[in-house]
Amino acid sequence: MSHLRAIQHTVQEIAEAITAAIGMEVEIIDEKLRIVAGTGRYEEKVGQMEEEGNLDSGYIYSHILKKGTEYIVEDAQSNPFYHAVENELAEVCCPIKLDRQIVGLIGMVAFTKEQQMVMLHNKDNLLVFLRRMADLLSSKIAESKISDELKIIVETSRDGIVVVDKQGVITLCNHSAEQLINMNRDKLIGQHLHTVWPDSPVLTALQTGEGYADREEFYKGKSSKSKAMHFFTTVNLIFNRTEEDGKQVTGAVVYFRDIADVRKMVYEITENKEYYSFQEILGTSNKVKELKRQAKKIAPSNSTVLITGASGTGKGLLAKAIHYASPRKNKSLIMVNCAAIPDTLLESELFGYEGGAFTGANKSGKVGKFELAHEGTIFLDEIGDMSLHLQVKLLHVLQHREIERVGGTRVLPIDVRVIAATNRDLEQMMQDGEFREDLYFRLNVIPIKIPSLFERKEDIPLLLHHALQKYNDLIGKQIRGFEQEAMELLVSYQWPGNIRELENAVEYAVNIETNDLISKQSIPGRILRSHKGLESTSLKKQLEAYEKQIITKHLQENGYSVQDKRKVAAMLGISESTLYRRIRELGIVK
């Protein structure tokens, strides 16, 4: 019998604890590839073999059991070394070691796109968590105490955790529980749960022997000044199995989270789903209609797209809409912000690396974003911030449709549609030697420019009401609309931050407003100051401000080069010398 099978009951409890804490299915495998414990669909497979019990299969589990290495599978469907018999999408794997001997492994599995997104975003933290679980198991195998380790896990949980005995008396709680209940643990422990949560369903679960998951519960404070408690709660019962009495309830572990946190998480997931459609690009102006028409027309193509526009105009949203209107919609959409990743790491992020390619590299290597996007789409945001060195490598990918991992010699063919975006003037950057001309023409096959909010002011009321509903739902308010003065002020504002700034302003107003209409007093100060500054200036100053806006708008749309300025002067019906003089006098800078 394997080490893990000898403590199978404990192993199963730890698997369930991981699932309760993280919300993903788990399987725990022994050194012979036998499933010892599991949750969800793996619970029914306990006792069966993974990878057909063949340690020489070459798949990931057999590799981990031989080498003792951790492994993160970011895209199980396209990984040739992953045995995805259950339609798994991603997995984090960690070996269980005992005195340098590999005695098994823990696998945390994502089966939905939402779980895959959460796993990839938190993979390092999840791997750290699984290491702790693996240490727990090896400690139990060695018959050492695990209480201290369990306390660490409980204390680092974001969920509130309360343990009660079979009578409903609180015997244990963590720091999050203290904060959510607003009571120190020295006062909580020893109290009956009824005194903290009157008529709690947890007490019924102790009597019936039936736990529950994700139930919304509301408890009023003991006094009018006490804060009400609104939770999402899960109850896992603790059983004592004996030959004489059978299965007896001895207590329960209660996991709970503030409803506001749950609402925010659900909204973020829902919002990402909604972004898959052109319907989410709001606006009825001619410029928005033309933008949608053009984007829908080019969506079925495989050609590269370059989206330009000011910061906050929704370039990422448009890229998602194009992808999900294309034949590649059922494949991966990989989003990369080139400005957010240090240049020293961006190359390995995009193209991956072979094991041992550089100091600190994973021994098993890493799959790059282009490989993950195979047969799908990769969105390269802030492409203007990419270094010249990486521009050369990206040009090679676009020309030859192949990549080579850092430190590798293999050439890997890829089928990826590239959508790039920038708020910078790439033509000016070419003239300044900051962006390659050949790459620019490879990217600019299908150019799409998103208009700024200044160019489509008629869409502002619609966007304001949409943002109001969004933050009403998120914050839990029921504000009906905007007072006339507030609406006029918001429509007349120039919105240099575009839609991102607009949503920020509405979120602020919803938080501040106490009545059922957004008033002028609830609008952010920068907007009010802008309006007051304009009101208090002379006619000459107001005309100059408007002139500055017009010239700046045309320069942003057409560029800042000598040729571009000549074109702008012609469009405005003034001489080049007059344009240069007004740029200097009005303090217009790029």
Side-chain angles (χ1 to χ4, degrees), residues 235-506:
V235 175
N236 287 342
L237 297 174
I238 304 171
F239 295 99
N240 180 26
R241 295 177 174 85
T242 64
E243 293 182 2
E244 296 81 12
D245 301 323
K247 189 169 71 170
Q248 299 291 325
V249 176
T250 60
V253 182
V254 185
Y255 305 87
F256 55 101
R257 179 175 293 185
D258 190 271
I259 193 72
D261 291 338
V262 177
R263 186 185 290 127
K264 184 176 181 180
M265 178 181 66
V266 171
Y267 174 76
E268 288 173 350
I269 294 173
T270 305
E271 185 182 44
N272 286 333
K273 284 184 176 179
E274 291 175 349
Y275 277 6
Y276 298 169
S277 168
F278 282 109
Q279 293 179 352
E280 300 310 311
I281 301 175
L282 301 179
T284 57
S285 64
N286 290 333
K287 285 185 177 292
V288 171
K289 289 179 180 178
E290 175 59 24
L291 175 69
K292 289 184 181 181
R293 187 198 65 78
Q294 182 185 9
K296 289 177 181 178
K297 193 173 181 179
I298 61 93
S301 169
N302 287 319
S303 297
T304 303
V305 180
L306 178 61
I307 303 173
T308 57
S311 178
T313 50
K315 296 185 286 294
L317 173 58
L318 180 62
K320 289 180 181 179
I322 292 172
H323 169 76
Y324 286 102
S326 77
R328 298 172 179 264
K329 62 184 178 181
N330 294 321
K331 300 296 182 179
S332 298
L333 169 62
I334 304 298
M335 313 284 285
V336 182
N337 188 321
C338 299
I341 304 172
D343 188 58
T344 52
L345 299 178
L346 185 57
E347 182 175 6
S348 60
E349 282 292 318
L350 290 175
F351 308 114
Y353 60 79
E354 297 291 354
F358 49 85
T359 302
N362 190 308
K363 293 182 180 179
S364 301
K366 179 181 178 180
V367 176
K369 303 297 187 185
F370 271 97
E371 288 180 72
L372 292 176
H374 182 61
E375 297 184 340
T377 304
I378 189 167
F379 174 57
L380 302 176
D381 197 10
E382 307 294 355
I383 193 71
D385 290 83
M386 182 177 285
S387 69
L388 289 169
H389 164 67
L390 289 183
Q391 289 178 31
V392 174
K393 296 203 69 170
L394 177 59
L395 178 63
H396 178 85
V397 173
L398 294 174
Q399 287 177 329
H400 302 286
R401 298 291 169 180
E402 63 184 25
I403 64 165
E404 188 175 301
R405 290 183 178 178
V406 176
T409 57
R410 294 181 299 162
V411 173
L412 304 174
I414 57 164
D415 173 18
V416 175
R417 185 184 196 179
V418 175
I419 301 178
T422 183
N423 60 4
R424 303 182 66 180
D425 185 350
L426 296 186
E427 293 187 8
Q428 183 62 47
M429 290 179 68
M430 283 193 299
Q431 294 183 21
D432 296 339
E434 298 174 351
F435 202 85
R436 292 182 62 94
E437 183 176 355
D438 44 9
L439 176 60
Y440 173 76
F441 290 114
R442 282 285 178 180
L443 291 172
N444 200 39
V445 176
I446 301 177
I448 297 181
K449 184 181 185 304
I450 301 183
S452 66
L453 208 49
F454 176 82
E455 300 174 73
R456 53 184 187 108
K457 281 185 172 291
E458 59 266 50
D459 291 329
I460 291 177
L462 174 64
L463 293 167
L464 288 169
H465 283 288
H466 176 77
L468 176 61
Q469 185 59 53
K470 170 181 173 179
Y471 290 109
N472 267 338
D473 294 342
L474 188 59
I475 297 171
K477 288 195 174 182
Q478 294 181 339
I479 299 174
R480 295 187 295 107
F482 299 81
E483 291 183 358
Q484 182 65 29
E485 186 180 11
M487 176 61 77
E488 291 175 356
L489 195 155
L490 291 169
V491 171
S492 65
Y493 181 60
Q494 299 307 309
W495 299 111
N498 292 288
I499 298 172
R500 185 182 295 119
E501 184 186 7
L502 182 145
E503 291 204 341
N504 174 276
V506 174

